[in-house]
Amino acid sequence: IAGITQAPTSQILAAGRRMTLRCTQDMRHNAMYWYRQDLGLGLRLIHYSNTAGTTGKGEVPDGYSVSRANTDDFPLTLASAVPSQTSVYFCASSDPGQADTQYFGPGTRLTVL
Amino acid sequence: GQSLEQPSEVTAVEGAIVQINCTYQTSGFYGLSWYQQHDGGAPTFLSYNALDGLEETGRFSSFLSRSDSYGYLLLQELQMKDSASYFCAVSLLRGSARQLTFGSGTQLTVLP
């Protein structure tokens, strides 16, 4: 693994279904983030984790949950997907003292029908 | 709350110089970052300004004026591969850690 990986690359999901987006990094960064990117709205922070065992809410957390059991993994779960959650999801990581320099994964394109 | 404004689109020709402006209104400001994103790709870090002034990295430079809540990204000797979206992002303190809030992005098109 080099950097950040995300899975799946893309997914089509029926509304109401549960979905977990996976994110793994091998840079030993303490801080990790989940963003969604919608056309014309840039990147919006969903949840973040400054270190393993802690998480926090970002700008648009409703409908999403995260966990951080270890340094490398930061999964994002949609408990019951809705069409408004159709978006491209990016995971990122950084050293906690350098949040301005974030490294992004390749993204997951999610479509909720 | 906070807000960032940057132009939605900029067009320039190969070899030219282009400036992408970013104005912000926020509290708890630490600095201004710039990211590049090609179509279908991941955002990649370009530069960060914590202090007033110009930071230069090769063909790219970034400027910050904290008193004016304003910054810009300057791209020189434009190349076709510079066609991409460019995002400014303010670094803010939330709780005990800094986080980024991104602007909506500027789509740069470089013409031959």
Side-chain angles (χ1 to χ4, degrees), chain A residues 34-48:
Chain A
W34 273 105
Y35 294 91
R36 61 176 289 172
Q37 185 173 34
D38 304 295
L39 194 62
L41 292 178
L43 291 146
R44 293 183 292 170
L45 182 66
I46 304 171
H47 283 287
Y48 65 92

Side-chain angles (χ1 to χ4, degrees), chain A residues 33 35 37 40-43 45 48 50 59 90 96-102 104-106 109, chain B residues 30 33 35 37 40-45 48 87 91 94 96-104:
Chain A
Y33 315 86
Y35 294 91
Q37 185 173 34
L41 292 178
L43 291 146
L45 182 66
Y48 65 92
N50 290 327
E59 182 185 357
F90 287 100
Q98 298 184 17
D100 328 284
T101 307
Q102 295 185 11
F104 284 80
R109 184 174 296 274
Chain B
Y30 268 83
S33 299
Y35 285 76
Q37 185 181 30
T44 57
F45 172 78
Y48 172 64
F87 295 87
S91 178
R94 287 201 184 99
S96 60
R98 299 211 302 266
Q99 295 172 10
L100 294 180
T101 295
F102 286 82
S104 299

Side-chain angles (χ1 to χ4, degrees), chain B residues 15-97:
Chain B
I17 298 172
V18 71
Q19 178 174 312
I20 300 174
N21 298 321
C22 176
T23 58
Y24 59 89
Q25 289 186 336
T26 187
S27 58
F29 176 84
Y30 268 83
L32 188 70
S33 299
W34 289 91
Y35 285 76
Q36 179 191 59
Q37 185 181 30
H38 287 97
D39 279 349
T44 57
F45 172 78
L46 290 177
S47 68
Y48 172 64
N49 294 69
L51 303 175
D52 286 358
L54 192 68
E55 295 279 345
E56 298 182 60
T57 307
R59 295 187 296 113
F60 293 1
S61 302
S62 57
F63 172 83
L64 175 65
S65 169
R66 297 173 72 102
S67 60
D68 295 323
S69 298
Y70 163 76
Y72 65 73
L73 180 69
L74 190 73
L75 297 83
Q76 303 182 70
E77 302 173 16
L78 280 175
Q79 302 176 8
M80 299 295 290
K81 66 179 181 179
D82 296 330
S83 291
S85 291
Y86 293 84
F87 295 87
C88 61
V90 291
S91 178
L92 307 171
L93 184 65
R94 287 201 184 99
S96 60

Side-chain angles (χ1 to χ4, degrees), chain A residues 6-9 19 21-22 33-38 43-44 46 60 62-64 76 78 81-92 104-112, chain B residues 43:
Chain A
Q6 294 184 234
T9 301
M19 177 73 190
L21 308 185
R22 300 184 298 278
Y33 315 86
W34 273 105
Y35 294 91
R36 61 176 289 172
Q37 185 173 34
D38 304 295
L43 291 146
R44 293 183 292 170
I46 304 171
V60 288
D62 293 344
Y64 305 95
L76 176 74
L78 290 68
V82 295
S84 62
Q85 293 178 311
T86 293
S87 187
V88 180
Y89 292 85
F90 287 100
C91 179
F104 284 80
T108 294
R109 184 174 296 274
L110 182 67
T111 302
V112 182

